[in-house]
Amino acid sequence: MKSLHLAGETDADRLLPLVAAFHTEMGYGTDTDHRAAAISPLLQGSPHGAAWLIGPRRAPVGYIVLTFGWSVEFGGLDAIVDELYVRPAVRGRGMGLEALDGIAKAMREAGVRALHLEVDREDERAQRFYGRARFKPRDRYIFMSRVL
């Protein structure tokens, strides 16, 4: 996929404003230092996750972050779509779907057995979008968190 680029340390200046925009849109309340500290290891090659720029590398329109884990149920390495963001001005043009399809293909080729994400129960538009990307709700399960 031409419009999906693995982000490295030299991409921080392009990625961090996108992360800030997404966190503002979602109401996360994170600050600049928090976002930089969370993204920096991913740009340095952490085995725990990675970030990709969506669109032209010099002027990306979005990003996707995956984190990695292990699932006995799915039989090996799995990944979570931790964040996916496309600038509002260019939404609806298929770039988010193309990014998810490209990531899914790359992860499958890398041996990842399952790709997961969480979506707001009230956000029907996002649920339809992820459904088009072939994500399915797991009716018997809810994603739960414990902040440490």
Side-chain angles (χ1 to χ4, degrees), residues 6 18 21 25 27 31 48-49 79 93-96 100 107 110 147-148:
L6 182 63
L18 294 167
E25 183 177 319
D31 62 24
H48 303 293
R93 298 181 189 178
M95 288 182 265
L100 283 171
M107 292 302 103
V147 177
L148 305 176

Side-chain angles (χ1 to χ4, degrees), residues 53-77:
L53 299 171
I54 299 170
R57 185 170 213 127
R58 291 184 180 210
V61 298
Y63 72 96
I64 185 168
V65 170
L66 296 187
T67 60
F68 302 111
W70 191 265
S71 172
V72 174
E73 176 186 355
F74 290 103
L77 193 61

Side-chain angles (χ1 to χ4, degrees), residues 28-104:
Y28 289 164
T30 59
D31 62 24
T32 302
D33 292 338
H34 173 98
R35 293 186 299 271
I39 289 292
S40 181
L42 302 178
L43 301 181
Q44 295 172 9
S46 170
H48 303 293
W52 287 263
L53 299 171
I54 299 170
R57 185 170 213 127
R58 291 184 180 210
V61 298
Y63 72 96
I64 185 168
V65 170
L66 296 187
T67 60
F68 302 111
W70 191 265
S71 172
V72 174
E73 176 186 355
F74 290 103
L77 193 61
D78 65 354
I80 295 173
V81 177
D82 185 57
E83 295 189 1
L84 170 63
Y85 175 76
V86 174
R87 290 184 191 276
V90 296
R91 289 182 188 159
R93 298 181 189 178
M95 288 182 265
L97 190 58
E98 185 180 350
L100 283 171
D101 285 345
I103 285 292

Side-chain angles (χ1 to χ4, degrees), residues 5 61 63 71 75 89 117 119 125:
H5 310 280
V61 298
Y63 72 96
S71 172
L117 57 80
V119 62
R125 182 177 179 210

